[in-house]
Amino acid sequence: MSGVIIWHTVLYLFLIFLLLPMVASYCLSAIIMRTNQHLVNRFGYHAPMIFGWLGIMVHELSHAGMALLFGHKINRLVLLTNPFQSEQENRLGYVAHSWQPKNKYQELGNFFIGLAPIIGITLLTGITTQLLWPQVFHVQTVGWQIFSQVPWWHLVIWVIVVINLNLAMDLSHADWLNVGHGVLYYSLLLLLIGLVVGLFISDPWLIVETAGYWLGVVWLIDMGISLLMLIIAKILD
């Protein structure tokens, strides 16, 4: 029986903390890139910065925060910049960091640094929703009353903040390279955690009901908002 519990624990950890984030990140990144292109076509090259300035700063701060957490050296941090200056290479912001390739901890950090914008913006979206519209997390019990039980100005602020954040959830080619550098070490770490946790947990499904449910709701919010923005941006283009 303990072997089944350990196996299920490892499986759920990989699904919730590896497979789901990777799939969600890829889909969100592809959608946001297309949305920003439509906005550029309609409103000009400064549109991504105008509509997503907060998200861009959170994007870069997430990179920097993860880099520091895993012992990388921050060589340069730019939260917002003019992407059309020749030396900026169309970047709205960037983090230049360095690490020791032989340091396994720092190499593991590349996975989190690459996905950091998705992680940071997802967490901030969840916190914003928890503060302004917590009824969303109880939609199974309150149903459509999630709209009637929240002040209208909460909804307005929530929409503005979440849209701004979501417009910066696209990952660059360099970000995905970072993910690739650290994914093996991250997988081994998840396996180790699953083996240890599986020895002490009695019901692995609790992982799905707690962390899995919360993250699932937030990613559904992100995906829904992103698809809606893509449709609107495409209509405006």
Side-chain angles (χ1 to χ4, degrees):
M1 186 65 180
S2 60
V4 174
I5 292 176
I6 292 174
W7 158 245
H8 283 175
T9 301
V10 171
L11 176 62
Y12 295 151
L13 285 178
F14 269 83
L15 288 176
I16 295 171
F17 296 107
L18 179 61
L19 182 61
L20 184 57
M22 293 285 282
V23 172
S25 299
Y26 181 83
C27 293
L28 286 169
S29 185
I31 293 170
I32 294 303
M33 283 183 178
R34 293 191 63 182
T35 300
N36 279 324
Q37 185 57 59
H38 287 303
L39 291 176
V40 167
N41 294 342
R42 179 63 179 85
F43 297 104
Y45 288 107
H46 288 86
M49 182 178 293
I50 293 173
F51 294 113
W53 59 271
L54 175 61
I56 295 169
M57 291 194 291
V58 173
H59 182 119
E60 303 306 337
L61 285 172
S62 298
H63 278 314
M66 281 295 181
L68 290 174
L69 180 63
F70 284 92
H72 289 222
K73 179 183 178 182
I74 303 294
N75 299 316
R76 185 169 175 78
L77 169 62
V78 178
L79 297 182
L80 281 174
T81 186
N82 184 346
F84 310 109
Q85 296 175 352
S86 58
E87 70 274 12
Q88 301 304 342
E89 300 176 352
N90 296 325
R91 295 177 296 186
L92 296 167
Y94 63 92
V95 177
H97 61 101
S98 56
W99 71 97
Q100 296 296 329
K102 294 183 179 180
N103 186 313
K104 303 307 180 185
Y105 178 69
Q106 293 184 5
E107 192 71 17
L108 165 66
N110 281 316
F111 177 86
F112 294 96
I113 294 169
L115 284 184
I118 302 294
I119 298 171
I121 292 175
T122 295
L123 289 177
L124 192 53
T125 297
I127 292 171
T128 301
T129 304
Q130 192 71 54
L131 292 174
L132 296 175
W133 198 6
Q135 293 84 353
V136 170
F137 293 104
H138 306 286
V139 65
Q140 289 179 319
T141 55
V142 301
W144 290 103
Q145 292 183 1
I146 61 172
F147 295 102
S148 60
Q149 295 180 353
V150 59
W152 66 269
W153 60 274
H154 277 207
L155 286 177
V156 172
I157 296 175
W158 181 86
V159 168
I160 293 173
V161 172
V162 171
I163 287 178
N164 196 305
L165 290 172
N166 271 254
L167 284 172
M169 290 189 82
D170 54 323
L171 298 181
S172 67
H173 179 65
D175 292 337
W176 285 113
L177 286 178
N178 269 334
V179 172
H181 287 151
V183 68
L184 175 60
Y185 297 105
Y186 178 60
S187 299
L188 293 174
L189 177 64
L190 274 182
L191 176 61
L192 178 60
I193 293 174
L195 293 175
V196 173
V197 172
L199 293 174
F200 299 96
I201 195 171
S202 60
D203 184 8
W205 188 252
L206 289 174
I207 301 172
V208 179
E209 292 180 332
T210 53
Y213 178 79
W214 192 89
L215 288 173
V217 170
V218 174
W219 275 320
L220 283 175
I221 292 172
D222 287 334
M223 196 68 69
I225 291 291
S226 298
L227 287 171
L228 180 60
M229 289 190 298
L230 175 60
I231 293 171
I232 295 174
K234 192 170 183 178
I235 293 173
L236 293 175
D237 187 358

